[in-house]
Amino acid sequence: MANKVEIIPLGGIGEFGMNCMGIRYGDEMIIVDAGMGFPEETPYGVDISIPNFDFLEEYRDDLTALILTHGHEDHIGALSYILRKFNLPVYGSRFTLALAEKRLEEFRMLDDVLLHRVRPNDIAEIGCFSVEFIHASHSLVDCFSLAIKTPLGTLIHTGDYKIDDTPVIGKPYDLKTLAKYGDEGVLALLADSTNSTVMGRTPSERAVIPAFEEIFDETPGRLFISTFSSSIHRLQIIFDLAFEFDRKVCVLGRSMQKNVEIADELGLLQIPGETLVSMGDARAYADNEICYIITGSQGETRAALWNMATSTYKGMEIEKGDTVVLSARIIPGNEKNISRLIGHLYKRGANIIEEKRRLVHVSGHAAQEDIKIMVETARPKFLVPIHGEYRMLFRQKEFVKNHVAGYTDDNIVLIENGDVLELDEFGARVVEKHELHKTFIDEESLGEIEYDVVRERKKLAYGGAISLVVTIDKSTHQLAGEPHITFQGVAGLEATNGFASEARQAISEAISEMKREQIADKAVFKENLRIHLKRFVQKEIRTKPVIVTTVVEV
Ligand SMILES: [Zn+2]
């Protein structure tokens, strides 16, 4: 048996989102998380990406389980896609699996998947791995760090975390269990880097309470609070304050309603008295008696807040005198949409409170001093920064090097998606590198879109397209009519400037010079036509449109 552990990230390293990692020993491999991402290719019609799970094909026989650290979309959003390819048993907390079930239901896969609900400090024996679930604090509830015991040593995977000593719901981060592993010896710590550029400690989830108290106290009219539907601590604070300040709460937006329902059912969210009201009932209350919790803090154009700011949402609109609180951070890539949303809200006369103006949001991720606590408690032989853009991975490395004794370039390892990091008694090294193209998801059909399709769309967007149809006589292999040329979105070309007729002529001449067998082989002929037209186009207009050639035989 090979005496090494392999760490193979499929996503989440060097980018925000799509967290997914394989951990392999011998011929057994577990997967930690299967998240979705929000790609920058949105102008080309794709809003969602997932890791390239086809890459796991070569490990098909080795895969034994999928373990979920927590229920954020960038950790469970690709669940149905990976399980459709590899039907693995799934381990996660009650809340994580409740969210996961919702996703599987949408894909009608609920009956086909084995879900193992685990609690903090449960230990799952999965082949040669033994996994302890360590209670972690983060912006949502029921989160885990993982202690993964392998025959070669223990790996700690932090998941997403911050060291919150006073969370609103549940216990603080379980440093005691972590310290136990630290004492026994940890081979490698795979640690969240999202907030590694931020100094100090990340404030507790409770830190937003004073600002919210003031807002509830001062707001004369209707109060709209937009936050992530998964930020259960934040929702609890809003419910509690609404009760205290005699406002009813109405929840708007599908994901928010669903998450409130799940958290309420599991007893994680404590909704005081008769605080929660339906949208119909909410309209009966005076402006200063109601508070709406609403989706759309990222400026999503399908969300309730956007609709309310630009047109109507089920008959409701943002009006003069309303106060809108954006209680969320800006996810990279959403800056423009959020800015547009705020513009629309101002146009309607709303008062807007955002993170920059009041402490209405705290991060769920470890800042530098949290990272220090993590590393000093786990005391790993190797530190491997994960979860974040490359800049953040790098900054975790720099910070730990400069602030925690015993860590140098030799035992902090930076890896990238598609790397195979090998750990053994001699050290840690990247032994293979794979270029992993992400897979895109079509939001309408929820089907996969190949990377090449989006690359083609990009080319179309930059250069437009020219289409050439050539009709050939099957028996003589000669032109049976004029070539037909059309173009769309090509700069410098208009229907009237004679390009099409000149191109037609050039192609006809090229064909007349071709040998019979060059035409008889359709594939060769098509490619030749494409090259001829491409040369002609580049000579004439110096752009690079996509060229599509079609050969019709009559
Ligand atoms: Zn998270």
Side-chain angles (χ1 to χ4, degrees), residues 382-397:
F382 297 101
L383 170 65
V384 183
I386 58 170
H387 298 176
E389 293 166 18
Y390 195 83
R391 161 179 80 97
M392 300 159 183
L393 309 176
F394 188 87
R395 289 285 290 277
Q396 171 158 201
K397 175 176 172 167

Side-chain angles (χ1 to χ4, degrees), residues 70 72 74-75 138-140 160 365:
H70 66 289
H72 272 147
D74 53 331
H75 293 260
H138 185 37
S139 54
L140 87 172
D160 283 350
H365 297 274

Side-chain angles (χ1 to χ4, degrees), residues 77-104:
L79 194 60
S80 10
Y81 296 94
I82 186 172
L83 292 177
R84 221 158 25 181
K85 290 192 163 113
F86 310 94
N87 193 349
L88 302 169
V90 181
Y91 293 77
S93 70
R94 278 181 319 160
F95 185 63
T96 304
L97 291 188
L99 296 176
E101 279 183 338
K102 198 174 78 178
R103 303 213 146 254
L104 294 172

